[in-house]
């Protein structure tokens, strides 16, 4: 199975973190569904052109979080993700992005009203593009 994860070798963010964040997002959002067999560690590392150790760490971290389960001799599968976990992840991820945007707006002396206006313009444009 091909997994739509892209790594940026020029990023300051470690490769394992880039992969882990994207894979977690794909699982929690339901893009990769419960019971899906993931590629072997070696195969996924080859696809991403990174170290087997990197992918092993990602799989182990996500297994420790309960998002993956490994069956000896069979492979690594996506575990059940409850609706509560999906909502929590969504709120946490979007919240972090919005906090960062507010911090940037404050650093350039953007007023609350200006920020709200910019935000609503972007939301309207992005949701119009989606339709």
């Amino acid at each position: 199975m091909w997994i739509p994860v892209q790594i940026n070798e020029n990023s300051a963010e470690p490769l394992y973190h880039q992969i882990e964040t994207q894979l977690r997002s794909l699982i929690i959002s339901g893009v990769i569904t419960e019971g899906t067999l993931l590629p072997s560690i070696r195969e996924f590392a080859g696809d991403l052109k990174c170290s087997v150790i990197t992918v092993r760490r990602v799989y182990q971290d996500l297994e420790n979080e309960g998002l993956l389960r490994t069956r000896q001799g069979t492979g690594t599968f996506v575990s059940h993700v409850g609706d509560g976990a999906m909502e929590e992840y969504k709120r946490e991820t979007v919240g972090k992005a919005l906090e960062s945007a507010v911090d940037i707006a404050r650093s350039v002396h953007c007023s609350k009203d200006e920020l709200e206006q910019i935000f609503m313009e972007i939301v309207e444009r992005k949701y119009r593009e989606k339709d």
Side-chain angles (χ1 to χ4, degrees):
M1 168 189 198
W2 179 78
I3 298 177
V5 170
Q6 297 178 350
I7 55 177
N8 178 357
E9 294 178 7
N10 298 320
S11 173
E13 184 180 20
L15 289 180
Y16 85 89
H17 193 261
Q18 292 180 47
I19 298 165
E20 187 174 305
T21 301
Q22 291 177 59
L23 188 54
R24 181 184 299 111
S25 177
L26 291 167
I27 293 168
I28 292 179
S29 67
V31 172
I32 300 177
T33 57
E34 177 183 354
T36 300
L37 173 64
L38 297 182
S40 71
I41 291 171
R42 189 172 307 285
E43 181 183 353
F44 198 26
D47 291 346
L48 295 173
K49 296 176 181 55
C50 71
S51 164
V52 169
I53 295 167
T54 301
V55 174
R56 180 178 294 123
R57 179 176 178 181
V58 169
Y59 278 21
Q60 286 174 339
D61 287 353
L62 295 178
E63 190 167 6
N64 291 340
E65 288 180 32
L67 296 176
L68 299 178
R69 67 182 187 286
T70 300
R71 281 192 238 144
Q72 195 66 31
T74 309
T76 302
F77 298 84
V78 175
S79 296
H80 173 73
V81 179
D83 291 338
M86 287 182 185
E87 283 303 313
E88 180 181 334
Y89 179 76
K90 188 188 317 181
R91 289 189 62 78
E92 182 181 318
T93 303
V94 172
K96 283 181 186 176
L98 290 175
E99 278 190 32
S100 177
V102 170
D103 290 343
I104 291 168
R106 292 184 71 189
S107 75
V108 296
H109 306 288
C110 186
S111 72
K112 181 181 173 204
D113 289 338
E114 289 172 314
L115 179 59
E116 287 175 353
Q117 181 181 356
I118 293 167
F119 176 75
M120 290 311 299
E121 288 171 2
I122 292 170
V123 168
E124 291 298 323
R125 185 182 77 241
K126 289 292 188 178
Y127 277 87
R128 199 173 29 249
E129 288 173 2
K130 186 178 178 185
D131 297 336

